[in-house]
């Protein structure tokens, strides 16, 4: 899959340790502010340099982080040396996930890097199956709204409609759901750009 190479992220990881910063994503912050995660099992798929994984580990969770970029994993060890994270370096579509139930599954910025709608559907449904009843799935992805890809030369993201994400979580209870534009500038090239994102946090019935 080579997510980071296709998205231009590996270049960023090599240029800047802490490419995404060290503050966890907004949905992760919201979840941790409202819930005691001590002793819970958490799976972060497409973990990048581990800012979300580290936040859960720091809060007392047992965290497994899957990431296909060796550079990102190396940076993660540098950035979060005191946080206990079980790093797995591998392709999210090829990992043989342990059958233990997870209380929280995180997929932040991974779906739009997958090669096809079929692969996105398969991965999300496989991850949904790992969530324990009453557990939480946190997902953030580009959707089919407006994008400026000038900061990502050569990257052709998988752009699924916001309603696609809503429908694949049919029967789950959304505690947060939005379709909004993010404006950002990556530190390795300083090109202002924007993406339209689906952000969701859902509880398994």
């Amino acid at each position: 899959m080579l997510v980071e190479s296709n998205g231009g992220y590996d270049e960023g990881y090599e240029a800047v340790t802490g490419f995404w910063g060290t503050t966890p994503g907004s949905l992760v912050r919201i979840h941790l502010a409202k819930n005691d995660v001590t002793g819970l099992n958490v799976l972060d798929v497409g973990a990048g340099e581990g800012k979300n994984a580290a936040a859960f580990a720091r809060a007392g969770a047992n965290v497994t982080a899957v990431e296909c970029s060796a550079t990102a994993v190396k940076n993660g060890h540098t950035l979060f040396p005191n946080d206990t994270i079980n790093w797995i370096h591998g392709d999210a579509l090829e990992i043989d996930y342990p059958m233990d139930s997870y209380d929280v599954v995180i997929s932040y910025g991974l779906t739009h890097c997958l090669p096809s709608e079929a692969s996105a559907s398969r991965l999300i449904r496989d991850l949904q199956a790992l969530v324990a009843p009453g557990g939480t799935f946190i997902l953030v992805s580009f959707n089919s709204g407006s994008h400026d890809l000038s900061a990502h030369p050569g990257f052709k993201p998988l752009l699924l409609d916001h309603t696609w994400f809503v429908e694949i979580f049919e029967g789950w209870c959304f505690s947060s759901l939005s379709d909004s534009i993010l404006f950002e500038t990556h530190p390795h090239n300083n090109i202002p750009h924007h993406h339209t994102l689906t952000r969701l946090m859902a509880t398994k019935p």
Side-chain angles (χ1 to χ4, degrees):
M1 184 171 58
L2 297 176
V3 171
E4 284 74 15
S5 295
N6 290 342
Y9 299 139
D10 215 44
E11 178 185 344
Y13 294 144
E14 291 170 359
V16 181
T17 299
F19 181 76
W20 301 109
T22 56
T23 302
S26 59
L27 293 183
V28 170
R29 296 197 304 272
I30 290 169
H31 185 80
L32 291 175
K34 294 181 177 180
N35 298 277
D36 180 6
V37 299
T38 304
L40 298 188
N41 295 319
V42 176
L43 176 65
D44 186 0
V45 182
E49 295 169 305
K51 66 178 187 177
N52 293 323
F56 272 95
R58 207 169 295 134
N62 305 310
V63 183
T64 297
V66 176
E67 173 54 46
C68 74
S69 168
T71 305
V73 174
K74 176 175 68 73
N75 290 355
H77 284 291
T78 299
L79 291 165
F80 308 108
N82 299 318
D83 295 305
T84 304
I85 301 170
N86 173 32
W87 283 98
I88 297 177
H89 175 218
D91 186 324
L93 291 171
E94 302 300 331
I95 298 296
D96 183 16
Y97 295 99
M99 293 309 294
D100 296 337
S101 294
Y102 288 94
D103 301 289
V104 180
V105 168
I106 307 163
S107 175
Y108 237 88
L110 173 62
T111 308
H112 58 258
C113 295
L114 297 177
S116 67
E117 179 180 348
S119 62
S121 178
R122 175 167 64 88
L123 180 63
I124 290 175
R125 293 199 183 281
D126 285 350
L127 295 176
Q128 287 175 331
L130 298 180
V131 180
T136 301
F137 200 129
I138 299 172
L139 182 146
V140 176
S141 177
F142 293 1
N143 63 33
S144 60
S146 175
H147 295 273
D148 172 5
L149 296 173
S150 58
H152 303 266
F155 180 38
K156 295 181 179 179
L158 176 66
L159 300 178
L160 301 168
D161 194 81
H162 176 72
T163 59
W164 185 93
F165 292 97
V166 175
E167 289 170 359
I168 204 168
F169 280 88
E170 182 180 1
W172 291 57
C173 179
F174 292 106
S175 57
S176 182
L177 178 63
S178 65
D179 176 10
S180 60
I181 294 179
L182 169 71
F183 295 90
E184 64 180 355
T185 302
H186 294 319
H188 72 306
N189 58 25
N190 295 312
I191 300 173
H193 60 288
H194 72 270
H195 301 292
T196 306
L197 302 177
T198 290
R199 291 185 175 94
L200 67 84
M201 184 156 49
T203 303
K204 187 172 184 176

